[in-house]
């Protein structure tokens, strides 16, 4: 039996045990500290059963891999090249292609489709983002699930929160919200205000954690003034919450050790960094950092503290509103930009102007179908790698278990291109993997991330723990600042009464655009549509058709289309968050039209 890890973009980074003779039968590694004995549907069904790309292609013609590599090398060696890498596989060896790009004088991307805005907000307050270990989550009394769809995206955390008081803050009545002690079904995009209001009430009641604030050398006066610049009545009305809701929530926040499990959902907005900064500031008001069983958990920075052998200094362009058309050659690796990036119409237009589009991936998808050159990737079972995790601190080596039928690893791909272009080849694959692994801390059977601390921020904040926490002192929102609400927009949407917020959380049966794809729009019963009706959904950026699912888990002002659904990103804007260079998938209102 060989041990490896699931490479999919997921909090859990499950450890897998596999019999090399039966690689379609993957099982969870028994007694792994963060697994609970079962792999999810993606690994026990979707991945083994999904049809991988069977052949390389050039200009629509199936060719031998070598011929496709010749064509790819010719394209990469001719003119300006952009590498657009996604998160189809989270092994560290994915980024070995940075070295290829450095050697061919190419361009990489900066920013993120995922968690960059929240990350920037955390850094604004804490200086550096250290992940809250699961062991601390397990010691909490109260768990506030804040915009994270635990049972779907992070199911292996469930045993760590069992038996605790659970509060869910989510505009959707998710499965975990239905089970929770309290569900605050707030208006989408209003979490900043909620965090600020909660902090204000706590300080107003003189219930801040003075002992902790003093120990950390923090003064809360300016922050209190900041929270008071927002009007209570107007804000409560805006969020759709009552004073009673706030009272209930405050009761939970003040009854024992509290952990916030914050997810991607709160920050898919231009103001995403303010949201995390405000949540962290609320946490600091309560003294939740550096204390046992307390803290704020978010998608962790798994590469923190590594001396990255693949770090390069090359030009970069935004990963959100990427100007593909500025390049002669675009190499897409482990990504499906034609579906996963925001503003699909813009993406397709921009990609259509690229001279040579190379797709290097595992599956046929909307991007592979556009590509001039298609290179099948080896699966995670067919190459050597190392898995870090954004949900826990355990690092898992991923040795090759099988030979690839027709795919190639990222490492071999880079060397194949470099050889053809007569550039310096890479060092041995083993040497890179060793450089990653030797920076991890060995603890018995397992390796730990170098950044792992049992109780982060015990002594203080910043890189070396000698800085202070910075409370949020700023807020600026062009989309919907309720202090200076754009009257025209409000008047218009109230008049025709048909603007909805669009939320696009992750689906249970797909992993971003991999595996099962649906094409449904979920509507609240009050929207007046019937199950299975067809509607066209419009935004300022585009439109797309969907089949209706009437869904009583939604607020009257919200429609839901799962991320990865066909057509969803025709509706989303390619604006970049104010900080963190992140996509803002939910910074959009939509209208509905029945398709007759
Ligand atoms: N099954 C499955 N698992 C996955 C993925 C997948 O595609 N499928 N994708 C993986 C990836 S790439 C990531 S980044 C993670 C993300 O996983 P999560 O952090 O769970 O993020 P989302 O599913 O995007 O959204 C989480 C919740 O936020 C809520 N939400 C939406 N808007 C708001 C808002 O304005 N405020 C608040 N408070 N809540 C809001 C949604 O209703 C949803 O319940 O999941 C990973 N795991
Ligand atoms: N509307 C909306 N859109 C979203 C989101 C949202 O919340 N709402 N979420 C965003 C988020 S959080 C993320 S992380 C992005 C993800 O977006 P992408 O990074 O584009 O991820 P996928 O759509 O899963 O596509 C990954 C591709 O990687 C390929 N692949 C898999 N394994 C390997 C491998 O080992 N090697 C290579 N070379 N290729 C491989 C597969 O062919 C797959 O099609 O989507 C974003 N898109
Ligand atoms: S829960 Fe996540 S890490 Fe575990 S097998 Fe499923 S996709 Fe992979
Ligand atoms: Mo993500």
């Amino acid at each position: 039996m060989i041990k490896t890890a699931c490479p999919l973009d997921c909090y859990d980074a499950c450890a897998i045990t596999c019999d090399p003779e039966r690689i379609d039968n993957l099982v969870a590694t028994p007694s792994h500290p963060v697994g609970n004995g079962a792999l999810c549907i993606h690994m026990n069904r979707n991945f083994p059963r999904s049809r991988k790309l069977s052949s390389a292609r050039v200009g629509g013609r199936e060719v031998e891999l070598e011929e496709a590599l010749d064509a790819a090398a010719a394209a990469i060696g001719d003119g300006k090249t952009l590498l657009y890498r996604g998160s189809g596989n989270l092994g560290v060896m994915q980024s070995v292609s940075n070295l290829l790009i450095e050697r061919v004088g190419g361009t990489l991307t900066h920013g993120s489709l995922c968690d960059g805005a929240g990350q920037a907000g955390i850094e604004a307050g804490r200086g550096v983002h250290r992940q809250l270990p699961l062991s601390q989550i397990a010691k909490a009394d109260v768990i506030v699930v804040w915009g994270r769809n635990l049972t779907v995206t992070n199911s292996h955390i469930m045993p760590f929160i069992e038996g605790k008081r659970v509060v869910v803050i989510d505009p959707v009545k998710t499965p975990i919200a239905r089970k929770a002690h309290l569900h605050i079904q707030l208006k989408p995009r209003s979490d900043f205000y909620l965090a600020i209001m909660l902090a204000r009430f706590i300080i107003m009641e003189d219930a801040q954690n003075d002992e902790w604030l003093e120990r950390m050398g923090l003064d809360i006066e300016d922050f209190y003034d900041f929270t008071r610049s927002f009007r209570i009545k107007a804000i409560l009305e805006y969020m759709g919450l009552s004073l009673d809701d706030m009272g209930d929530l405050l009761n939970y926040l003040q009854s024992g050790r509290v952990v916030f499990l914050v997810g991607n959902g709160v920050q898919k907005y231009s103001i995403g960094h303010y949201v995390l900064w405000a949540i962290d500031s609320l946490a600091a008001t309560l003294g939740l950092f550096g204390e046992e069983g307390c803290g704020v958990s978010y998608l962790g920075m798994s590469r923190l503290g590594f001396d990255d052998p693949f770090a390069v200094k090359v030009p970069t362009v935004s990963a959100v509103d990427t100007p593909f058309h500025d390049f002669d050659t675009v190499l897409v690796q482990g990504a499906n930009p034609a579906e996963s990036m925001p503003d699909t119409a813009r993406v397709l237009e921009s990609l259509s102007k690229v001279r040579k589009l190379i797709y290097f991936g595992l599956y046929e998808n909307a991007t592979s179908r556009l590509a001039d050159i298609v290179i099948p990737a080896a699966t995670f079972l067919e190459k050597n790698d190392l898995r870090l995790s954004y949900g826990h601190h355990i690092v898992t080596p991923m040795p090759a278990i099988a030979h690839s039928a027709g795919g190639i690893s990222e490492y071999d791909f880079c060397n194949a291109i470099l050889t053809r272009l007569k550039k310096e080849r890479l060092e041995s694959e083993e040497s890179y993997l060793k450089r990653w692994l030797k920076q991890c801390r060995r603890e018995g059977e397992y390796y730990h991330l170098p950044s792992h601390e049992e109780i982060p921020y015990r002594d203080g904040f910043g890189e070396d723990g000698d800085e202070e926490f910075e409370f949020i002192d700023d807020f600026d929102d062009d989309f919907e600042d309720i202090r200076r609400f754009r009257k025209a927009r409000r008047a218009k949407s109230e008049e025709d009464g048909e603007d909805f917020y669009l939320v696009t959380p992750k689906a249970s049966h797909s992993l971003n655009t991999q595996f099962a794809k649906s094409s449904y729009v979920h509507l609240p019963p009050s929207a007046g549509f019937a199950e299975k009706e067809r509607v066209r959904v419009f935004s300022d950026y585009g439109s797309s058709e969907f089949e209706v699912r009437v869904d009583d888990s939604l607020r009257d002002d919200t429609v839901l289309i799962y991320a990865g659904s066909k057509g969803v990103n025709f509706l989303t804007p390619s604006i970049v968050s104010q900080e963190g260079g992140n996509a803002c998938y939910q910074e959009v209102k939509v209208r509905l039209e029945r398709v007759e």
Side-chain angles (χ1 to χ4, degrees):
M1 297 298 259
I2 297 181
K3 283 183 183 166
T4 183
C6 173
L8 295 175
D9 188 341
C10 170
Y11 289 95
D12 296 345
C14 292
I16 294 179
T17 299
C18 170
D19 178 349
E21 303 299 314
R22 291 196 55 201
I23 61 163
D24 54 351
N25 184 22
L26 304 169
V27 295
T29 303
S31 78
H32 189 265
V34 296
N36 55 6
L39 301 175
C40 78
I41 181 173
H42 301 308
M43 266 303 129
N44 64 31
R45 211 181 74 188
N46 292 346
F47 176 82
R49 292 193 194 170
S50 60
R51 210 159 61 90
K52 320 287 183 291
L53 274 170
S54 56
S55 161
R57 288 200 304 266
V58 175
R61 195 168 46 86
E62 293 202 353
V63 298
E64 293 296 319
L65 181 60
E66 292 301 313
E67 187 180 336
L69 292 169
D70 291 342
I76 291 169
D78 179 23
K80 281 177 76 181
T81 294
L82 171 70
L83 168 60
Y84 192 91
R85 188 169 46 229
S87 54
N89 176 323
L90 289 193
V92 296
M93 287 307 284
Q94 286 294 312
S95 37
V96 71
S97 48
N98 286 357
L99 302 178
L100 167 69
I101 288 305
E102 182 183 48
R103 287 173 200 191
V104 302
T107 301
L108 291 171
T109 59
H110 60 256
S112 159
L113 299 184
C114 181
D115 59 350
Q119 176 66 29
I122 288 177
E123 284 170 359
R126 308 185 215 164
V128 61
H129 177 196
R130 298 188 183 284
Q131 181 65 316
L132 183 69
L134 290 168
S135 51
Q136 297 308 321
I137 296 171
K139 289 181 191 156
D141 302 305
V142 176
I143 300 284
V144 180
V145 181
W146 202 326
R148 194 189 293 186
N149 194 6
L150 286 194
T151 56
V152 169
T153 61
N154 189 195
S155 58
H156 292 86
I157 206 172
M158 294 307 287
F160 294 86
I161 68 167
E162 206 173 286
K164 303 190 186 307
R165 274 163 283 162
V166 174
V167 175
V168 172
I169 302 172
D170 199 304
V172 180
K173 199 183 273 291
T174 55
I176 184 79
R178 287 184 196 274
K179 284 196 280 183
H181 296 83
L182 177 68
H183 175 208
I184 298 291
Q185 192 164 12
L186 84 178
K187 190 203 270 298
R189 207 179 180 281
S190 63
D191 304 83
F192 165 83
Y193 295 113
L194 179 58
I196 292 297
M197 278 302 116
L198 288 168
R200 175 174 180 173
F201 286 138
I202 288 165
I203 307 170
M204 209 160 71
E205 290 171 8
D206 209 18
Q208 69 278 5
N209 189 332
D210 283 324
E211 187 267 325
W212 183 85
L213 290 164
E214 203 168 298
R215 186 149 48 81
M216 290 287 166
L218 295 172
D219 182 348
I220 207 164
E221 274 311 305
D222 288 348
F223 176 52
Y224 186 39
D225 285 344
F226 176 71
T227 65
R228 286 191 305 179
S229 68
F230 300 88
R231 281 170 40 233
I232 295 176
K233 194 162 165 279
I235 301 264
L236 288 180
E237 206 176 290
Y238 174 74
M239 294 187 292
L241 302 180
S242 66
L243 274 174
D244 284 348
D245 293 327
M246 299 299 277
D248 291 346
L249 201 38
L250 285 167
N251 273 338
Y252 281 99
L253 295 185
Q254 293 169 315
S255 58
R257 291 175 294 192
V258 179
V259 160
F260 295 152
L261 298 180
V262 185
N264 205 280
V266 303
Q267 56 92 63
K268 301 175 190 181
Y269 306 111
S270 61
I271 53 164
H273 74 293
Y274 287 128
V275 178
L276 263 295
W277 197 5
I279 291 174
D280 268 4
S281 297
L282 167 64
T285 305
L286 292 163
L288 301 184
F289 293 108
E291 300 287 316
E292 191 149 272
C294 298
V296 181
S297 155
Y298 179 62
L299 293 86
M301 281 260 295
S302 58
R303 293 180 185 218
L304 181 69
F306 277 104
D307 177 14
D308 181 350
F310 306 139
V312 294
K313 284 207 171 69
V314 300
T316 58
V317 293
S318 163
V320 176
D321 55 354
T322 318
F324 294 112
H325 53 270
D326 285 349
F327 295 87
D328 301 302
T329 299
V330 172
L331 167 60
V332 171
Q333 176 199 328
N336 182 11
E339 286 186 302
S340 50
M341 284 178 77
D343 202 348
T344 306
R346 190 208 72 83
V347 173
L348 297 181
E349 163 80 13
S350 187
L351 282 174
S352 73
K353 295 182 180 145
V354 172
R355 197 160 64 201
K356 285 279 189 272
L357 177 63
I358 308 172
Y359 172 80
F360 178 25
L362 208 55
Y363 302 112
E364 198 75 75
N365 58 31
T367 309
S368 69
R369 284 190 279 272
L370 296 174
D372 304 288
I373 301 169
V374 173
I375 313 251
T379 73
F380 77 100
L381 296 169
E382 303 163 344
K383 56 197 175 196
N384 296 305
D385 215 324
L386 185 71
R387 178 70 155 94
L388 317 178
S389 161
Y390 60 80
H392 58 73
H393 62 282
I394 294 183
V395 175
T396 315
M398 305 169 69
I401 295 171
H403 284 293
S404 183
I408 183 169
S409 73
E410 284 63 28
Y411 173 82
D412 287 337
F413 172 83
C414 293
N415 259 343
I417 302 297
L418 289 168
T419 308
R420 283 166 170 79
L421 295 176
K422 306 204 164 32
K423 305 267 183 198
E424 187 197 343
R425 285 168 58 92
L426 303 174
E427 290 170 33
S428 75
E429 185 177 46
E430 200 191 348
S431 71
Y432 292 123
L433 282 166
K434 268 199 184 138
R435 270 160 72 183
W436 281 102
L437 197 58
K438 82 164 192 248
Q439 299 181 63
C440 303
R441 273 179 272 153
R442 181 103 206 207
E443 301 276 338
E445 246 185 279
Y446 300 100
Y447 293 94
H448 291 184
L449 288 173
S451 59
H452 173 63
E453 286 176 16
E454 196 44 45
I455 302 185
Y457 310 108
R458 186 145 239 184
D459 307 318
F461 297 86
E463 200 83 47
D464 302 314
D466 55 1
E467 287 168 33
E468 286 180 2
F469 182 84
E470 295 283 343
F471 281 99
I472 184 167
D473 57 3
D474 181 30
F475 182 66
D476 183 30
D477 186 1
D478 304 329
F479 186 71
E480 234 176 28
D481 188 338
I482 79 163
R483 287 176 305 185
R484 45 185 183 72
F485 207 115
R486 281 196 296 180
K487 288 212 178 66
R489 174 183 277 277
R490 182 181 212 173
K492 191 192 160 300
S493 58
E494 276 183 0
E495 204 176 277
D496 46 30
E498 54 183 16
D499 263 14
F500 293 87
Y501 288 94
L502 172 66
V503 295
T504 63
K506 307 298 185 182
S508 56
H509 291 258
S510 68
L511 205 294
N512 297 321
T513 71
Q514 301 186 60
F515 314 129
K517 270 223 224 356
S518 65
S519 193
Y520 305 129
V521 59
H522 294 246
L523 302 179
S526 60
F529 289 82
E531 190 81 0
K532 294 194 178 161
E533 262 189 293
R534 292 204 66 81
V535 293
R536 181 157 280 276
V537 184
F538 292 85
S539 77
D540 288 349
Y541 309 94
S543 76
S544 198
E545 229 182 272
F546 300 88
E547 185 180 316
V548 171
R549 287 288 176 274
V550 179
D551 193 337
D552 68 0
S553 66
L554 298 174
R555 291 167 53 98
D556 290 342
D557 60 2
T558 304
V559 309
L560 180 154
I561 305 174
Y562 285 113
S565 298
K566 212 164 153 277
V568 59
N569 281 324
F570 278 102
L571 305 169
T572 57
S574 54
I575 50 179
V576 183
S577 62
Q578 291 183 30
E579 297 292 333
N582 208 46
C584 306
Y585 290 102
Q586 293 185 178
E587 189 125 312
V588 62
K589 291 270 189 93
V590 297
R591 298 172 301 281
L592 309 171
E593 220 174 84
R594 193 169 269 113
V595 177
E596 301 298 344

